[in-house]
Amino acid sequence: MTTVEKVKEIAHAIARAGGRTMLAGGCVRDSILNIPVKDFDLEVYRMDSRSLLDTLKNICEVDAVGMSFGVLKVKHFDIDIALPRKENKSGAGHRGFIVEVSPEMDFADAASRRDFTINAIMQDAITGEIIDPWHGQKDLQNRVLRHVSPAFTEDPLRVLRGMQFIARFDLTADNETVQLCSTLSQDELPIERLSAEWEKLLLKGINISAGLNFLRDCRWIRYYPALEALTACPQDPRWHPEGSVWNHTLKVTDAAAAMRDGSPDDLILMLAALCHDFGKPACTVIQSDGRITSCGHDTFLEPAEKFISSIWRRKDLPEKVLPLIAHHMHPWQLVENDASDKAFRKLALQTGNTGLLAKIARADVMGIDGSKENLARQLHNIELFSQRCHALAIADAAPKPLILGRHLLQYGMKPGKDFKPLLDACFEAQLSGEFADLPGALNYLDKLLCGK
């Protein structure tokens, strides 16, 4: 049974028991926008918690852990079911609410607790009737992001939700909504909630720049100092006619978004694109002749590391992103300098993924408002870089040593201080292209040992 079929089965069972099932939130919004719906939020009216559980027990398995708040999950399907409820702020943080389930609540009151009008549209799960008390359809048509009610301020995370909605659905925030967002604070939000919204921005956003500009307009950029510093950081107009590092970064993130392929590397790509020039504010100098330089910005990685660690607890993210930032200019530089195969292999070793590095370099170049001729030349060089990496079999992974400790043992050597220098010498020779397979590697080792 598909998820849609299960929704229908649940809705008809609830109707037979005297209740009414409404689709709510993102599933209605996405359906109106002709975006495939993968998960469904249902709200059940005119039925209390016990009656709902009794009705569902024969047609689906449910996780009722959240039932005291009027919420349950259908197991094996992406379906959440809720009863309409009143929420009153009772304390600090996103958990500081008193929740009262209210099955007889009218649709407008129930929808008033939602964040934005585009998420406050309801649709009868059986008849398809649309209930839109806050005019979300009109806002969708006009591509406007508008908060529903003053209750919006009860959860500051809604600012970041607004950021990612703007980027995903090509929206413009209503001025009153921007002003309201500017009065809220991120201070009490746990890091896990931050990362979820940032990932939606970076992994689902089409117009990333619009989401970031919203963050700036409502002054939430103050919580991300590395981002805020970009807005006032100048660039030499000869090389960056687009203006500040902020303007350049917006263009780079939009370009990178078009290169996502749905792989786990997408987040690495987008973070490297977003953070690739975080080192510039600290490294930028205006010379006496007016030239603007940012020497060493690519290797000043502290701002990027702090930014990533402030949003994600994942240690692997800085480990994968920072080397890409440090080498983001190398693809076209290696080609222009006619670098050796060894230099290409060492770059693969340093970054772990030259294919991803090429994407970041391409996005960086596409974020420059330079001449078409220069753009074409740079992109051509990056394409030559990619071709060379494929030819050297280092496009997707770093080269691995062919000679290992076990090979030294086969020569009768005992583990000790002589192992590492020999292994290092063999790997250096491998990177230099003196051998490309295990037989060649063993032949090289044999000559090396016989010469000792």
Side-chain angles (χ1 to χ4, degrees), residues 87-363:
E87 296 179 351
N88 297 306
K89 192 70 172 171
S90 60
H94 69 287
R95 298 181 185 277
F97 291 91
I98 296 174
V99 177
E100 178 185 350
V101 174
S102 183
E104 301 302 323
M105 184 183 296
D106 65 47
F107 294 130
D109 285 345
S112 68
R113 67 181 175 80
R114 293 193 172 271
D115 49 13
F116 301 104
T117 61
I118 62 171
N119 296 328
I121 310 167
M122 300 182 186
Q123 183 176 22
D124 190 290
I126 296 176
T127 68
E129 178 189 1
I130 293 286
I131 306 293
D132 187 12
W134 297 98
H135 311 296
Q137 291 178 100
K138 182 179 179 181
D139 283 341
L140 267 184
Q141 183 179 0
N142 295 329
R143 288 294 194 266
V144 173
L145 184 77
R146 191 192 315 274
H147 67 283
V148 173
S149 72
F152 178 90
T153 61
E154 293 177 349
D155 186 0
L157 187 73
R158 289 168 168 176
V159 178
L160 296 183
R161 283 174 60 78
M163 171 188 71
Q164 53 103 345
F165 287 143
I166 284 172
R168 289 167 60 191
F169 305 121
D170 191 26
L171 307 174
T172 299
D174 173 72
N175 287 334
E176 289 187 14
T177 299
V178 172
Q179 292 302 313
L180 190 60
C181 289
S182 70
T183 67
L184 304 181
S185 169
Q186 179 181 294
D187 291 340
E188 294 179 356
L189 293 175
I191 191 172
E192 292 79 11
R193 300 191 81 204
L194 302 180
S195 58
E197 301 307 321
W198 275 96
E199 286 184 23
K200 289 175 183 176
L201 169 76
L202 297 174
L203 299 180
K204 296 183 177 183
I206 305 301
N207 193 359
I208 309 291
S209 57
L212 293 173
N213 275 329
F214 169 75
L215 203 67
R216 179 200 60 189
D217 293 344
C218 66
R219 300 199 294 276
W220 264 47
I221 199 172
R222 67 186 184 272
Y223 297 111
Y224 307 97
L227 265 179
E228 186 174 31
L230 303 184
T231 62
C233 186
Q235 299 185 110
D236 195 311
R238 290 176 298 174
W239 313 117
H240 283 281
E242 68 278 0
S244 68
V245 182
W246 175 260
N247 292 340
H248 171 64
T249 299
L250 296 183
K251 290 176 174 290
V252 173
T253 53
D254 284 346
M259 300 178 194
R260 295 176 310 215
D261 58 11
S263 74
D265 285 336
D266 280 349
L267 183 58
I268 309 299
L269 166 68
M270 294 306 300
L271 279 174
L274 178 64
C275 303
H276 80 285
D277 275 351
F278 275 14
K280 276 189 175 178
C283 299
T284 295
V285 175
I286 301 178
Q287 306 290 347
S288 58
D289 61 0
R291 291 183 302 115
I292 301 173
T293 60
S294 304
C295 298
H297 77 276
D298 48 338
T299 55
F300 183 56
L301 303 174
E302 182 179 349
E305 184 174 16
K306 285 184 177 179
F307 173 81
I308 295 170
S309 299
S310 72
I311 303 174
W312 287 270
R313 296 192 190 279
R314 291 175 50 181
K315 292 183 179 180
D316 66 310
L317 286 181
E319 291 172 355
K320 293 177 180 178
V321 172
L322 298 183
L324 294 171
I325 295 174
H327 299 282
H328 72 268
M329 296 186 295
H330 287 192
W332 58 267
Q333 289 177 341
L334 289 186
V335 173
E336 285 196 347
N337 295 328
D338 194 23
S340 65
D341 289 348
K342 181 178 181 179
F344 276 75
R345 292 189 182 102
K346 282 205 165 184
L347 181 61
L349 197 63
Q350 290 161 337
T351 61
N353 191 325
T354 59
L356 203 55
L357 182 65
K359 285 186 176 182
I360 293 158
R362 192 174 295 114

Side-chain angles (χ1 to χ4, degrees), residues 1-16 21 23 40 42 56 59 77 79 81 123-129:
M1 180 178 289
T2 67
T3 302
V4 172
E5 290 170 339
K6 178 57 70 173
V7 167
K8 291 288 187 182
E9 182 184 30
I10 290 171
H12 281 290
I14 288 171
R16 288 192 295 271
T21 303
L23 304 174
F40 293 81
L42 312 183
L56 296 177
I59 59 172
F77 293 91
I79 301 173
I81 302 177
Q123 183 176 22
D124 190 290
I126 296 176
T127 68
E129 178 189 1

Side-chain angles (χ1 to χ4, degrees), residues 386-404:
S386 295
Q387 292 174 9
R388 185 96 165 263
C389 290
H390 279 285
L392 295 172
I394 55 172
D396 301 317
K400 295 181 179 180
L402 291 169
I403 295 297
L404 305 173

